[in-house]
């Protein structure tokens, strides 16, 4: 049984936990280990930066889009029903 260094994450652990780190879900020593690794590793650092950029892009897309109108769901349901029953509408 291989026991890893408790103060140092490896690429496998960092890859497995990168999204949790980006979402702020990691805590304590695990957070510190993974954050330290992704900031220092020449392989993981660009992957992590790409993940953060992707998350930011997705968030900005959602922020730019206005909320749907209150009648949106009703309109969609009506269209689906009309498509299923050609005699309606």
């Amino acid at each position: 049984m291989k026991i890893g260094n408790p103060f140092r994450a490896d690429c496998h652990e960092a890859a497995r936990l990168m999204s949790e780190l980006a979402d702020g879900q990691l805590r304590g020593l695990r957070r510190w280990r993974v954050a330290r690794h992704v900031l220092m590793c020449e392989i993981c650092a660009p992957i992590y930066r790409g993940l953060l950029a992707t998350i930011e892009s997705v968030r900005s897309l959602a922020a730019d889009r206005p909320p749907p109108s209150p009648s949106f769901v009703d309109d969609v349901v009506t269209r689906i029903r009309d498509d299923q029953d050609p005699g309606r509408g």
Side-chain angles (χ1 to χ4, degrees):
M1 175 182 192
K2 181 182 172 189
I3 298 175
N5 183 337
F7 300 106
R8 191 167 179 197
D10 59 15
C11 291
H12 178 73
E13 181 181 12
R16 190 169 46 83
L17 297 172
M18 227 178 257
S19 62
E20 290 180 41
L21 177 65
D23 289 338
Q25 296 175 346
L26 291 182
R27 299 284 182 252
L29 181 59
R30 179 173 276 176
R31 180 186 185 288
W32 182 82
R33 288 165 29 112
V34 175
R36 181 174 179 254
H37 179 87
V38 299
L39 293 174
M40 297 176 67
C41 177
E42 65 185 40
I43 295 169
C44 294
I47 296 169
Y48 185 66
R49 285 192 303 269
L51 174 63
L52 292 176
T54 301
I55 290 169
E56 184 59 34
S57 294
V58 170
R59 286 182 180 152
S60 71
L61 287 174
D64 292 344
R65 196 173 278 177
S69 69
S71 65
F72 176 77
V73 173
D74 293 334
D75 294 343
V76 170
V77 170
T78 300
R79 286 183 184 178
I80 291 170
R81 287 183 180 149
D82 288 347
D83 287 347
Q84 290 176 349
D85 185 5
R88 285 183 71 167

